[in-house]
């Protein structure tokens, strides 16, 4: 969890200034969705989590 929150702060809060809680409520699920599906990870051999899971299931 600590690792995720570190990524969240670096990827979302350090680059965007939210002027309202509504804006934050919109951005947070979008970031979590991106983090869980689209981000490229070196620990996953340069694949996104979805690509890595699909590759593992195909084997």
């Amino acid at each position: 969890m600590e690792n995720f929150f570190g990524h969240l702060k670096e990827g979302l809060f350090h680059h965007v200034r939210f002027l309202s809680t509504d804006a934050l409520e919109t951005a947070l699920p979008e970031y979590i969705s991106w983090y869980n599906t689209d981000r490229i990870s070196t620990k996953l051999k340069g694949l996104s989590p979805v690509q890595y899971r699909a590759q593992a299931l195909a084997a």
Side-chain angles (χ1 to χ4, degrees), residues 16-48:
V16 177
R17 182 172 180 207
F18 295 101
L19 300 177
S20 69
T21 56
D22 290 336
L24 175 61
E25 286 178 12
T26 300
L28 194 55
E30 291 173 4
Y31 180 82
I32 292 171
S33 177
W34 170 82
Y35 186 87
N36 286 330
T37 59
D38 298 328
R39 76 181 158 84
I40 302 301
S41 175
T42 55
K43 290 181 181 180
L44 302 178
K45 303 175 184 173
L47 300 172
S48 73

